[in-house]
Amino acid sequence: RPRVLSGIQPTAESFHLGNYLGAIRQWVALQDDHDAFYFVPDLHAITVEHDPKTLAARTRNSVAQLLALGLDPDRCTIFVQSHVSEHTQLEWVLGCITGFGEASRMTQFKDKSARQGSDERVTVGLFTYPILQASDILLYQPERVPVGEDQRQHVELTRDLAQRFNSRFGKALTVPQPYILSGAAKIQDLQDPTAKMSKSASSPSGIVELLDDPKVSAKKIRSAVTDTEREIRFDPEAKPGVSNLLTIYSALTDRKISELEAEYAGKGYGDLKKDLADVVADFVDPLQERVRTYLDDPAELDRVLARGAARAREVAGATLAAVHEKIGFLPPT
Ligand code: ATP
Ligand code: MG
């Protein structure tokens, strides 16, 4: 079974529809025929300003959502990044073979740092984020890394670093393939449909959160930005707002977009929005019930995470030992 690895940051109270339709839904499917590792990167979550009082709860909440969405701890490894200290240890080594210019070219850093307002608020951690991400991946020697289009550049860097390490010091790292998943949808911000829906960058009204009251989501969908035409047609260039709504509708119902276009021929945007709100409610109602069940049993959640961290450390520890040996560190006795 090929190994895969992926993660989702605990940067909000709730995941959003983009996280599910663009990533987690595919992770659930991959469990069947892959040796899958999924983790909550809390180390990454502190690269931008965060609230220490809520981080642990958000991390738990993230794990509960992953379980409620269908990750099964008997069929995959689920863990929290900070529970496995090898992540930061390998990051140091990789940082020492990463060029400053190379790291400076990462577009996510440019985007996220621009949003911090002043240079003084941009942390070195945000700058080295992609190197930590490379470490997250390479520790587990996965053949494939399922990520959305927004992460492609970071996976490219990860491949470059693995190849560089192997050719300079001898082979210790698997060079992973990015795995842009078929059927993964890219979901846009409801208020700014030319930008992706994002936990940390979108305004609250632009995000459909999985844990929101469906009434709140219905209101957000009702106020989603569309265009001045009347026609319900899928055309992401000319009609990004309407196309985004169709994408979400299609992904949640497994119905073809062309089928939806036919069904809504002659109807208005209001009809589409109202029906989409119902579709979203049908999805989140039972989901929220399952999330509550997991959160109500913290001992069980802890057991899942302890088991996951133990399995993760086994694999990560072996990789780190090989890396340290190749790079020439004196082994501890
Ligand atoms: P942040 O704003 O904190 O970066 P995020 O919403 O971008 O949060 P991540 O934790 O960075 O979420 O990403 C988790 C997974 O969700 C990744 O695989 C990413 O590719 C995917 N993803 C994030 N946003 C979208 C989106 N709008 N559409 C589809 N997939 C997405
Ligand atoms: Mg992101």
Side-chain angles (χ1 to χ4, degrees):
R1 298 201 303 165
R3 167 96 36 94
V4 292
L5 170 122
S6 222
I8 179 153
Q9 299 193 68
T11 36
E13 291 303 319
S14 170
F15 296 159
H16 56 70
L17 276 178
N19 297 138
Y20 176 63
L21 298 173
I24 301 166
R25 183 153 78 150
Q26 285 71 33
W27 300 357
V28 172
L30 287 172
Q31 301 177 104
D32 294 331
D33 45 9
H34 288 74
D35 180 17
F37 283 68
Y38 299 121
F39 69 106
V40 177
D42 51 349
L43 299 172
H44 282 276
I46 66 167
T47 56
V48 291
E49 209 175 303
H50 82 290
D51 177 1
K53 289 203 270 308
T54 60
L55 182 56
R58 285 182 174 189
T59 302
R60 253 181 200 291
N61 206 4
S62 300
V63 177
Q65 288 176 82
L66 289 175
L67 296 172
L69 287 166
L71 294 192
D72 173 0
D74 289 327
R75 290 187 296 150
C76 70
T77 303
I78 304 176
F79 65 99
V80 171
Q81 186 186 28
S82 64
H83 295 177
V84 184
S85 52
E86 282 82 356
H87 287 250
T88 44
Q89 292 179 276
L90 180 61
E91 190 229 342
W92 179 257
V93 174
L94 296 178
C96 293
I97 64 167
T98 307
F100 183 78
E102 189 175 34
S104 307
R105 283 192 290 275
M106 295 296 123
T107 55
Q108 179 183 287
F109 173 72
K110 291 185 200 168
D111 294 346
K112 285 197 175 177
S113 57
R115 269 188 263 123
Q116 300 297 303
S118 90
D119 259 6
E120 287 308 310
R121 296 180 59 180
V122 178
T123 65
V124 174
L126 186 63
F127 183 67
T128 56
Y129 178 119
I131 305 172
L132 180 59
Q133 189 175 347
S135 161
D136 298 337
I137 296 169
L138 297 175
L139 277 174
Y140 299 93
Q141 314 273 1
E143 278 95 350
R144 296 164 166 189
V145 198
V147 286
E149 203 51 57
D150 59 323
Q151 292 300 317
R152 195 191 270 278
Q153 195 187 27
H154 289 173
V155 179
E156 242 355 276
L157 175 72
T158 303
R159 287 167 52 80
D160 289 346
L161 294 177
Q163 274 154 353
R164 192 173 307 156
F165 184 95
N166 289 343
S167 69
R168 271 194 213 163
F169 304 110
K171 185 164 178 357
L173 301 169
T174 303
V175 181
Q177 299 286 343
Y179 192 18
I180 306 289
L181 296 151
S182 62
K186 187 172 178 215
I187 307 301
Q188 305 295 94
D189 186 319
L190 296 184
Q191 286 302 315
D192 174 10
T194 59
K196 77 161 200 127
M197 189 179 284
S198 153
K199 284 195 247 86
S200 57
S202 299
S203 70
S205 53
I207 320 178
V208 179
E209 298 194 355
L210 302 181
L211 302 184
D212 261 348
D213 181 332
K215 289 197 202 74
V216 173
S217 299
K219 189 158 174 245
K220 290 180 182 180
I221 292 167
R222 236 178 5 252
S223 344
V225 167
T226 48
D227 51 60
T228 54
E229 295 179 5
R230 303 184 48 89
E231 200 189 353
I232 295 175
R233 176 166 53 86
F234 185 76
D235 181 347
E237 291 291 312
K239 300 168 76 70
V242 172
S243 303
N244 191 36
L245 298 177
L246 285 168
T247 300
I248 297 171
Y249 199 138
S250 155
L252 283 177
T253 56
D254 281 322
R255 294 178 59 195
K256 288 208 186 65
I257 288 190
S258 54
E259 212 181 289
L260 296 174
E261 284 174 328
E263 179 174 327
Y264 284 94
K267 294 190 183 166
Y269 293 165
D271 301 311
L272 175 69
K273 288 172 165 180
K274 186 180 163 304
D275 293 349
L276 177 58
D278 289 342
V279 164
V280 169
D282 287 344
F283 177 70
V284 300
D285 276 333
L287 173 72
Q288 293 181 0
E289 185 57 45
R290 289 196 297 277
V291 171
R292 272 194 293 277
T293 313
Y294 286 111
L295 287 176
D296 284 346
D297 190 354
E300 174 56 21
L301 211 68
D302 286 342
R303 272 192 295 278
V304 166
L305 291 179
R307 190 146 63 98
R311 164 97 177 106
R313 273 188 223 114
E314 253 171 57
V315 180
T319 302
L320 187 70
V323 162
H324 279 187
E325 195 252 319
K326 296 280 185 208
I327 210 153
F329 288 153
L330 176 67
T333 47

